Amino acid sequence: MAEYSDLSVLIVDPNPGMRGNLHNMLSQASITKIDYAVSSGTAIRQLTKKPFDVILCEYDLGNGSGEANGQDGQQLLEDLRHHKLITPWTIFIMLTSEGEYGKVIGAAELMPTDYVLKPFTVDALLQRLQRAVDRRNSFLPIYQLVEMGNVRKAISEARLAEEKAPRYAVDFARLRAELLFSIDELAEAETVYLWILMTRPVPWAHLGLARCRFGLQKYLEAQETLSELLEQNPRYMAAYDLLARCHEALGQQEAAKKILEDAVAISPHMVRRLRHLGDVAFETGDVGMAEKAFKQVVAKAKYSEFRDPEDHVKLVKTLVKKGDAHQASGVIRDMERSLRSGPNVDVCRAIAAGLLQEMTGNLTAAATELTNAVNAVAGSRGLSTGLKVGLVHSCLAVKLDQQASDLMLNLMNDTESGVSMDDAVQVFEKAGRHDLAQGMGEQIKIQVDELIAHASEQRSHGDLRAAVDTLSAGLRKAPGNMALLPAAASAILKQLDDLGWEAPLAEHCQFLLERMRRLDPAHPSLETLTAQYHYTQRKYGISAVA
């Protein structure tokens, strides 16, 4: 197997004897570029320095005594994928002698390239490796196009590869669907998954179809697809996660919690699922389940190189709601002791301390801590929107009105937050602060007026595309704003009329007009804009039949 001599391999195993055995096996395939890691932490540090073609990872990265002293292989893979420390074409093979089914299926649901049960022979390992390398070589050119940012070219190449390499036709179709999904071409991705299902009714295609339908807000259809999938494959874990999200989107929080509880009972080691269960349980008022879930998250993430201090905040918030000041204080001390100091840790520690001080009735101390948290947010990176909105609520509870308003305004203007202008107003309305909601509404009106004026100036200088982009960005923050909607539709129609018909842009304009019709059927601009749309259709010979 001299053709594999250029492969670089990272062996992740705490057992020196096993590392030696694997080295000898790889040597028989003429593989000599071999490095070692004895834990998840050392593996992550190795991978931050250089990439590897193949990772052979022992599932049980503990010390063999039954007491965990680090992450297991599943948690390591979860971190590597989430933080993009390995490429889509990295070969990750899980090695395990673990007989507990929950752990094995937990590893499988994270989709390593393969997993091998010990003991195994040299021939068995090399056969798996050869199969993985052959497959990777077929897909590598497309992955490289994606890496260069040429996703549409990659989609075209995947389509051609379906015909050129029939052995992997379904796999190339899957990749094509995933790439279409990644650029929000959800309807087209849905069509590809439907084609795959006609060819081969594989579980992952049902899941992909459900993801497309969820993204298209066809929640009931997605729910039906997932329910059918789980009837046939009750241990297909990712389907539970998406089904829970469907229930949440439909306002069925208790059903979502039940789905996640069922999933955790089957596969109890996925940190992100446990975190999701904790969030839903807290929202439904099930403090006991939320406490249990968040404690497991904090415990399982303890040895991760990417510990998230927000998990401690969630646990403290749950314990505060439970009325357990002693445990909450212990969690804060653990955060201070075990996490490296940094902007995110400082924010989270201050929020947690503020929650505890408020619970014990020390509002002055709570206000001081929460003010520190708000000040530290500016220097933080990657804090979740949920944490920041929670901080707004905490500020309101201790009369830090200005801090709450400033923080919400920043969230509203952050394109990555997902907080719309309407969301910002509703936060204050739900808190019973109509005065602050009204002030936020006035701020929003000023910003909308400025956006429209800026777009108008761009149009007057002939930069029609920039005007459309400006107003579209505004609509992402205020999708129902009845000043922005007609302005955006008008700008799109001007671009279509002057620069030529573009089907996706025309569909978006039609969508905006329909939204206007739903929100205000008597809007004075609606009839004129609709007539202009049909005029432009006729101008370019586009059929008006929908």
Side-chain angles (χ1 to χ4, degrees):
M1 301 179 77
E3 66 268 28
Y4 299 143
S5 59
D6 288 335
L7 290 176
S8 58
V9 180
L10 177 65
I11 297 172
V12 187
D13 197 306
N15 186 315
M18 190 62 193
R19 294 197 300 271
N21 288 340
L22 288 170
H23 189 121
N24 292 335
M25 291 181 181
L26 294 171
S27 296
Q28 295 186 42
S30 302
I31 297 173
T32 58
K33 299 176 183 177
I34 303 170
D35 285 283
Y36 306 104
V38 299
S39 66
S40 62
T42 53
I44 287 169
R45 287 190 284 277
Q46 290 268 48
L47 287 160
T48 56
K49 294 176 185 175
K50 65 177 181 179
F52 290 87
D53 298 303
V54 182
I55 299 171
L56 299 178
C57 182
E58 165 63 39
Y59 175 84
D60 181 7
L61 297 177
N63 57 15
S65 67
E67 295 181 4
N69 67 347
Q71 285 185 300
D72 59 35
Q74 171 186 309
Q75 293 166 317
L76 171 60
L77 179 56
E78 189 178 356
D79 270 348
L80 295 179
R81 289 263 170 83
H82 183 70
H83 295 281
K84 295 181 171 57
L85 287 179
I86 56 176
T87 65
W89 59 87
T90 301
I91 296 170
F92 190 106
I93 297 178
M94 195 84 74
L95 312 174
T96 180
S97 57
E98 178 58 62
E100 186 180 335
Y101 186 71
K103 292 183 179 181
V104 174
I105 196 166
E109 73 169 294
L110 276 163
M111 293 187 295
T113 309
D114 208 341
Y115 64 98
V116 181
L117 292 177
K118 296 190 292 185
F120 50 83
T121 65
V122 176
D123 289 342
L125 178 63
L126 296 185
Q127 184 181 37
R128 297 290 184 90
L129 185 59
Q130 180 176 1
R131 186 170 66 189
V133 170
D134 289 347
R135 187 183 185 282
R136 186 194 73 157
N137 290 342
S138 297
F139 284 81
L140 190 57
I142 296 173
Y143 283 134
Q144 288 173 334
L145 285 171
V146 175
E147 188 77 359
M148 292 186 292
N150 200 343
V151 178
R152 293 197 179 275
K153 176 68 172 174
I155 292 169
S156 298
E157 290 298 314
R159 181 68 185 89
L160 292 173
E162 291 171 39
E163 301 172 3
K164 293 179 181 178
R167 178 185 177 189
Y168 295 125
V170 171
D171 295 312
F172 278 116
R174 178 183 187 173
L175 178 56
R176 182 160 61 96
E178 290 172 351
L179 292 175
L180 286 165
F181 186 93
S182 74
I183 58 173
D184 290 327
E185 297 285 351
L186 303 183
E188 193 171 344
E190 181 182 22
T191 301
V192 177
Y193 282 121
L194 286 168
W195 175 84
I196 293 170
L197 287 168
M198 287 189 291
T199 307
R200 186 189 301 175
V202 285
W204 54 259
H206 283 96
L207 180 65
L209 179 62
R211 282 177 172 154
C212 292
R213 288 173 171 171
F214 181 89
L216 292 166
Q217 299 183 5
K218 301 177 182 178
Y219 301 127
L220 290 174
E221 290 183 44
Q223 198 175 68
E224 183 180 354
T225 301
L226 293 165
S227 296
E228 291 174 0
L229 171 57
L230 287 171
E231 282 182 19
Q232 299 297 320
N233 302 273
R235 295 184 181 274
Y236 201 84
M237 304 312 302
Y240 288 90
D241 299 323
L242 186 56
L243 183 56
R245 290 176 62 200
C246 287
H247 282 297
E248 287 181 277
L250 293 166
Q252 302 162 350
Q253 306 299 325
E254 286 291 344
K257 186 182 70 165
K258 177 64 168 60
I259 291 293
L260 291 169
E261 287 177 13
D262 291 345
V264 167
I266 297 169
S267 177
H269 304 285
M270 177 71 80
V271 171
R272 284 179 180 80
R273 180 178 302 123
L274 285 165
R275 188 180 288 128
H276 189 187
L277 174 58
D279 289 336
V280 175
F282 186 88
E283 188 177 344
T284 60
D286 189 345
V287 177
M289 177 57 70
E291 178 185 358
K292 180 180 177 182
F294 288 135
K295 279 183 174 178
Q296 289 183 72
V297 170
V298 169
K300 289 179 183 296
K302 186 174 182 181
Y303 298 97
S304 170
E305 292 291 302
F306 305 101
R307 293 184 72 187
D308 189 344
E310 290 195 34
D311 292 328
H312 286 76
V313 176
K314 290 178 178 180
L315 181 52
V316 168
K317 189 175 180 180
T318 303
L319 293 169
V320 163
K321 189 170 184 178
K322 181 184 176 184
D324 192 336
H326 177 71
Q327 277 203 80
S329 180
V331 173
I332 294 171
R333 287 196 300 273
D334 176 65
M335 189 193 314
E336 293 170 336
R337 182 175 60 251
S338 63
L339 290 174
R340 299 187 186 97
S341 179
N344 286 18
V345 177
D346 293 342
V347 173
C348 290
R349 190 216 61 80
I351 292 173
L355 290 169
L356 181 58
Q357 293 288 0
E358 182 191 351
M359 174 197 168
T360 56
N362 193 342
L363 299 186
T364 301
T368 299
E369 293 286 5
L370 293 173
T371 299
N372 291 337
V374 171
N375 292 337
V377 164
S380 65
R381 184 177 181 182
L383 290 174
S384 73
T385 296
L387 181 102
K388 294 176 183 177
V389 172
L391 178 54
V392 170
H393 284 292
S394 295
C395 287
L396 291 175
V398 295
K399 309 303 182 188
L400 295 175
D401 293 356
Q402 189 60 53
Q403 289 88 336
S405 296
D406 291 346
L407 186 55
M408 184 53 72
L409 197 61
N410 289 336
L411 270 172
M412 186 186 72
N413 289 323
D414 179 2
T415 56
E416 301 297 321
S417 74
V419 174
S420 71
M421 294 178 178
D422 291 343
D423 293 334
V425 172
Q426 284 301 310
V427 166
F428 294 118
E429 290 287 6
K430 288 179 180 178
R433 295 301 304 273
H434 180 68
D435 56 326
L436 294 179
Q438 194 172 27
M440 185 62 62
E442 291 169 0
Q443 289 273 0
I444 289 169
K445 186 179 183 307
I446 291 170
Q447 291 194 3
V448 167
D449 289 345
E450 289 174 349
L451 272 174
I452 292 173
H454 181 47
S456 179
E457 184 179 356
Q458 290 170 318
R459 283 181 65 169
S460 69
H461 289 104
D463 199 346
L464 303 181
R465 295 186 188 278
V468 169
D469 289 343
T470 295
L471 293 167
S472 295
L475 276 175
R476 284 194 290 273
K477 304 306 292 182
N481 188 280
M482 291 306 293
L484 280 173
L485 276 168
S490 176
I492 291 172
L493 288 168
K494 176 66 173 171
Q495 179 181 324
L496 292 173
D497 192 55
D498 286 13
L499 302 183
W501 188 267
E502 295 178 26
L505 194 61
E507 288 175 13
H508 183 56
C509 182
Q510 197 170 30
F511 172 76
L512 296 182
L513 294 175
E514 284 300 319
R515 181 181 287 169
M516 284 180 66
R517 189 170 287 109
R518 285 198 313 273
L519 295 174
D520 185 4
H523 193 281
S525 300
L526 186 57
E527 186 176 345
T528 302
L529 291 169
T530 303
Q532 187 178 347
Y533 180 85
H534 292 314
Y535 167 80
T536 308
Q537 274 187 315
R538 291 191 298 272
K539 176 179 176 179
Y540 290 101
I542 307 299
S543 172
V545 178

